[in-house]
Amino acid sequence: MLPLLRRVPRALGSAVAGLRAAPAPSPRPLLQPAPRPCVRPFGLLRVCAGLLRARGPCSCGCSELHTQGDKAFVEFLNDEIKEEKKIQKHKSLPKMSGGWELEVNGTEAKLVQKVAGEKITVTFNINNSIPPTFDGEEEPSQGQKVEEQEPELTSTPNFVVEVVKDGGRKALVLDCHYPEDEVGQEEEEESDIFSIREVSFQSVGESDWKDTNYTLNTDSLDWALYDHLMDFLADRGVDNTFADELVELSTALEHQEYITFLEDLKGFVKSP
């Protein structure tokens, strides 16, 4: 048995030796992923930049961008400015009757007057003061010019009336507006073309209303008290005549600022 056991390891050894002598199989090739396109961040910006560079430098020698679109834009603005100046009713702002002094700061305007120991200040801003046009308007008929069909734009801003007694520390502040269903209505002569929305007392010199001060909303106000507040304003010159003139003043100021905006826009697009 011992010789047999001795032969087994020899046989195994020769087999192992044969395995060592045999050449190693070639490794199985791995599947290579398909090449991915090169995606770089801001690649679209580089493409756009290349397209812009393809336009070439400006003929005036500057490094700014000038396109055919800019040129057409400037031509359009020139025509628009000419048309707006042609239909401009007031070359200068109209004056208010009743001795009101006008102070204008950009799009904000103040009307101030003093009456019997009181200072009344009316403040309004022309931004977003033109009501939107309705889509249900009739289309121009055949042979009728589009300009004749366009409605006249009217500025009806909200305005705030502030009444201060001489030496007083508080101001009675009334927030007023033009209801849409009342603007342009002339059937009822005695109806008010503006309304009071809120009433509050504020400290003199405060530019913004404080939420900690009580504010009276007129939606739930007794009509007798509301009528007395309207009479209070009328006695100080804020009545329907004032409201009509305020619309005319605001419309003129808005149109003036619109033309200035177009001129600034043209200069911005045109300038190198």
Side-chain angles (χ1 to χ4, degrees):
M1 289 293 298
L2 185 59
L4 179 58
L5 292 175
R6 288 178 179 176
R7 290 193 187 97
V8 171
R10 289 176 183 171
L12 291 174
S14 60
V16 173
L19 290 174
R20 291 176 179 175
S26 58
R28 183 178 179 181
L30 299 177
L31 295 177
Q32 298 293 331
R36 298 176 61 186
C38 180
V39 180
R40 300 172 181 262
F42 311 106
L44 180 60
L45 295 179
R46 290 194 179 95
V47 172
C48 294
L51 293 176
L52 294 178
R53 293 193 200 100
R55 298 179 183 273
C58 176
S59 59
C60 65
C62 69
S63 59
E64 297 293 332
L65 176 65
H66 295 288
T67 66
Q68 293 297 325
D70 291 347
K71 182 179 179 181
F73 195 8
V74 171
E75 293 177 354
F76 167 80
L77 290 174
N78 282 329
D79 295 338
E80 185 75 5
I81 292 171
K82 291 179 181 179
E83 291 298 324
E84 292 296 330
K85 288 184 176 180
K86 186 185 300 183
I87 64 175
Q88 188 176 14
K89 289 184 176 181
H90 302 280
K91 302 303 179 182
S92 59
L93 296 178
K95 294 183 179 181
M96 300 281 293
S97 62
W100 294 92
E101 297 180 1
L102 176 62
E103 302 175 5
V104 179
N105 181 18
T107 59
E108 184 178 271
K110 287 185 179 182
L111 295 166
V112 183
Q113 74 166 343
K114 294 183 178 181
V115 179
E118 294 181 352
K119 180 181 179 182
I120 300 98
T121 304
V122 180
T123 307
F124 65 93
N125 196 306
I126 61 167
N127 283 334
N128 304 317
S129 63
I130 296 181
T133 57
F134 297 97
D135 297 334
E137 295 179 354
E138 297 180 359
E139 297 181 357
S141 59
Q142 294 181 356
Q144 187 177 11
K145 295 182 180 180
V146 179
E147 291 80 1
E148 299 177 357
Q149 194 73 11
E150 291 182 355
E152 182 178 354
L153 299 180
T154 303
S155 172
T156 54
N158 301 334
F159 60 94
V160 176
V161 182
E162 179 180 334
V163 182
V164 180
K165 300 284 186 178
D166 288 346
R169 297 182 179 180
K170 289 185 177 181
L172 179 63
V173 183
L174 304 97
D175 183 12
C176 306
H177 74 121
Y178 293 90
E180 294 183 1
D181 55 349
E182 296 292 341
V183 176
Q185 299 292 334
E186 299 180 355
E187 297 178 358
E188 300 179 5
E189 296 180 358
E190 297 182 357
S191 63
D192 298 313
I193 64 175
F194 73 96
S195 301
I196 302 173
R197 291 194 301 186
E198 293 179 343
V199 185
S200 176
F201 278 107
Q202 300 293 330
S203 300
V204 175
E206 294 288 342
S207 58
D208 298 327
W209 285 26
K210 290 185 177 180
D211 295 335
T212 54
N213 293 348
Y214 179 76
T215 299
L216 180 64
N217 192 307
T218 59
D219 290 340
S220 57
L221 188 63
D222 180 76
W223 278 106
L225 177 56
Y226 181 84
D227 288 340
H228 280 296
L229 288 173
M230 292 295 292
D231 292 339
F232 176 85
L233 291 179
D235 292 340
R236 285 151 181 82
V238 182
D239 52 10
N240 278 350
T241 301
F242 173 88
D244 278 331
E245 294 180 357
L246 180 61
V247 169
E248 184 178 3
L249 171 62
S250 179
T251 302
L253 179 59
E254 197 281 335
H255 199 185
Q256 177 179 290
E257 289 295 318
Y258 176 65
I259 294 176
T260 302
F261 173 81
L262 293 179
E263 293 174 340
D264 292 342
L265 182 59
K266 184 189 75 172
F268 181 84
V269 176
K270 184 179 180 181
S271 65

